[in-house]
Amino acid sequence: MLLFQVVRGLIELSLAMTAQARLGIVGVALLFVIGVGIRARRSGLAVGAAVLLALMMTQA
């Protein structure tokens, strides 16, 4: 269980750093919205933010 949490934290950190490097604060904000959508169990919010992040990453 601890290993899973450590790996998850490292993945979150690397995604945040990549998004910030490519998109600035907008990418980090979209990652935050994805996390909030998953935590609040609002799949529409999480999926919408993930799609926007993916589109912006391909355009950057």
Side-chain angles (χ1 to χ4, degrees):
M1 190 59 112
L2 180 62
L3 180 62
F4 174 72
Q5 290 176 345
V6 169
V7 170
R8 182 175 158 200
L10 289 173
I11 290 171
E12 289 174 359
L13 179 65
S14 66
L15 283 174
M17 289 174 57
T18 303
Q20 187 174 13
R22 293 188 81 188
L23 301 175
I25 195 68
V26 175
V28 175
L30 283 173
L31 281 174
F32 178 75
V33 171
I34 291 170
V36 168
I38 290 171
R39 284 275 202 185
R41 296 184 184 195
R42 298 183 189 257
S43 59
L45 177 64
V47 170
V51 168
L52 281 176
L53 181 65
L55 287 174
M56 290 180 69
M57 292 292 275
T58 58
Q59 298 295 323

